[in-house]
Amino acid sequence: MQWDIVIGLEIHVQLATKTKIFSGSSTAYGAEPNTQANAVDLAMPGTLPVPNEQAFRYAVMFGLAVNAEIERRSVFERKNYFYPDLPKGYQTTQLERPIVGPGYVDIDLANGETKRVRIHHAHLEEDAGKSLHEDFHGMTGIDLNRAGTPLIEVVTEPDMTNADEAVAFAKKLHGIVTSLGICDGDMSQGSMRFDVNISLKPKGSDTLGTRTETKNLNSFRFMEQAIAHEVERQMDILEDGGAIVQETRLYNGDRDESRSMRTKEEANDYRYFPCPDLLPVEIDDAFIDEAHNSLPELPDARKVRFKEQYGLNDYDAGLLAGDSQLAAFFEAAADRGKDAKLASNWVQGEFSARLNAEEKPVADSPISGEQLGDLVVRIADNTISSAGAKKVFEALWTGENDSVDAIIDAKGLKQVSDTGELEKMVDEVLASMPDQVAQYQQESDPKKQKKMLGGFMGPLMKASKGQGNPKLFNEILVKKLGG
Ligand code: ADP
Ligand code: MG
């Protein structure tokens, strides 16, 4: 049996306001537990919430960035449920009249095509507190600092058909909200959390299957793994003749396991009703115009600019433009380094690999885009080989404060590019390897000849104490051997 995979996402985006959505208490991350939730956040009797204008501005900016309609009149509802991290007994959210209506985001697929993912709506709501399960010896700790932090929840249509598309969408959304500056994008701190709805249907069928929702995935990698895991699980059940139960599941990325959390609740289980403490919020044209005028450059526009300004191909431009910090880093490196293609290779190669290995965001990079640009200059003008460049990069990364040039000097990484000197070395090495020279000259297959050149490189690099310019060595070798 062949199956189609259907995926829809719900994404919680923490808005980067200084204060809570309905109170003046701080949203800063990492404070002592229970020091940043005030009486309003806990809905103590006699308190009244006051909507945070900045949260609305951010929500409107988001709506405009995803080509959505903005609701002029949005209403808050109470979603009633009991949970230890929600002592007020309800979450203030939007149901009937969310602030952001239908929109869409275009994502780039691996095959070079573009796909449109529709956004059903996005609504404003407050976050709950956090349950802490570690360090409490069989009990659970509750930290209410996060209670009342403004979120937008973005709900997509079930438009994605595999994990790659879902991850591409998630990354695109991450790029949009961080470019807008409405979210810090720090997934390790829970600033963006993904719920993945997944169902299967017989290949080509028009009817959607029963879905499950896997909640609270906080990295792209876990999201990819959770989807693979859930698709596999559902396939096993369906192929054994079973039925999928509509339920909410939790995925444990460290163990690649999932378990049921609760069977799916219906909206009416929550007894939604309009919050009597909050008036509907009316948004006028001036507010929307102002938000529109404050929109910064977004990933799609930046991608087009990178292709024009730096001559990057579609793939490189899309990747670098997708993340605002990475984009700024690349621009600094390319502007300083004067060789955009080389800068792009280093940003995507060594630099990104290093960030990933240390699980660091671009902002925490110990080296600046300008420094990488200086390195690019010295690679491009042949002062150092790419092996030497890696050593300089390493030194910069581990905090050597010197300039790129000073590091090159101190480590003796300057390549010998004096052709006269290099020619002398080539002559000597060729004279000491007559058999190999004869073999090379008898070979008619240029591919094999190219391989044979490598045999001379080792001795040459040794003769030059590792400092001969390999590109020049190669050119001289071909000339001398061919002639
Ligand atoms: P509910 O009203 O139960 O919350 P929604 O229709 O609002 O359900 O959908 C919630 C999320 O689930 C959306 O992201 C949507 O795209 C996704 N979704 C809905 N039906 C399916 C399905 N059959 N398979 C996969 N995802 C789905
Ligand atoms: Mg829903």
Side-chain angles (χ1 to χ4, degrees), residues 13-15 17 19-21 27 55 125-127 148-152:
V13 179
Q14 224 174 66
L15 296 178
T17 56
T19 56
K20 304 271 173 87
I21 186 168
T27 55
E125 64 185 24
E126 63 179 346
D127 210 343
T149 296
L151 305 176
I152 46 174

Side-chain angles (χ1 to χ4, degrees), residues 449-464:
Q449 277 193 324
K450 209 169 162 193
K451 233 182 179 169
M452 291 168 138
L453 283 181
F456 298 108
M457 265 325 209
L460 280 172
M461 290 317 282
K462 202 170 160 199
S464 68

Side-chain angles (χ1 to χ4, degrees), residues 169-427:
F169 176 85
K171 287 187 172 165
K172 185 74 182 265
L173 204 73
H174 185 269
I176 291 172
V177 298
T178 52
S179 297
L180 286 169
I182 65 172
C183 172
D184 68 19
D186 190 335
M187 298 178 47
S188 69
Q189 293 180 1
S191 296
M192 268 182 105
R193 310 189 295 268
F194 297 89
D195 303 342
V196 186
N197 297 275
I198 302 175
S199 65
L200 299 184
K201 59 183 175 66
K203 202 161 193 63
S205 160
D206 290 333
T207 320
L208 291 181
T210 301
R211 73 174 189 272
T212 63
E213 176 179 5
T214 303
K215 265 201 154 344
N216 265 331
L217 300 163
N218 64 356
S219 80
F220 300 128
R221 191 163 49 90
F222 281 164
M223 190 170 150
E224 191 173 347
Q225 290 173 9
I227 292 171
H229 177 91
E230 181 59 14
V231 166
E232 189 87 358
R233 195 189 67 88
Q234 291 190 15
M235 225 180 257
D236 285 349
I237 293 173
L238 292 171
E239 288 180 354
D240 285 348
I244 304 301
V245 180
Q246 187 172 339
E247 64 185 354
T248 303
R249 300 184 67 84
L250 278 183
Y251 175 74
N252 181 328
D254 297 323
R255 296 203 197 136
D256 194 32
E257 285 171 4
S258 71
R259 66 177 168 85
S260 176
M261 189 168 122
R262 54 173 183 256
T263 51
K264 181 70 185 178
E265 61 293 324
E266 300 293 333
N268 63 13
D269 292 334
Y270 289 112
R271 299 287 180 259
Y272 279 94
F273 63 89
C275 182
D277 286 345
L278 287 158
L279 292 169
V281 176
E282 304 264 4
I283 291 175
D284 59 17
D285 288 344
F287 190 83
I288 295 174
D289 288 346
E290 189 201 315
H292 195 264
N293 294 333
S294 72
L295 289 183
E297 184 178 48
L298 293 169
D300 283 345
R302 188 156 51 221
K303 176 178 169 183
V304 172
R305 180 167 67 80
F306 277 10
K307 286 165 76 170
E308 284 169 5
Q309 186 176 339
Y310 296 108
L312 297 182
N313 65 31
D314 200 73
Y315 177 85
D316 290 345
L319 202 135
L320 293 169
D323 177 287
S324 59
Q325 287 181 12
L326 194 68
F329 188 93
F330 161 73
E331 284 207 77
D335 290 346
R336 181 78 78 106
K338 303 278 181 267
D339 185 330
K341 180 65 195 160
L342 198 53
S344 153
N345 288 347
W346 272 80
V347 171
Q348 288 181 63
E350 202 73 13
F351 179 68
S352 293
R354 203 54 192 262
L355 285 178
N356 284 341
E358 299 186 12
E359 294 183 358
K360 279 198 164 98
V362 177
D364 291 349
S365 158
I367 97 168
S368 67
E370 284 80 4
Q371 280 177 309
L372 188 66
D374 288 339
L375 184 59
V376 164
V377 169
R378 291 299 172 236
I379 305 167
D381 73 6
N382 277 321
T383 303
I384 48 176
S385 64
S386 56
K390 285 195 176 139
K391 289 186 185 147
V392 178
F393 182 89
E394 180 66 30
L396 290 171
W397 190 277
T398 50
E400 278 185 38
N401 260 329
D402 287 333
S403 69
V404 164
D405 284 346
I407 294 172
I408 292 172
D409 280 345
K411 295 200 182 296
L413 294 172
K414 208 174 231 149
Q415 298 188 107
V416 179
S417 292
D418 175 334
T419 350
E421 233 176 289
L422 295 179
E423 283 199 24
K424 232 170 71 193
M425 291 181 215
V426 173
D427 286 339

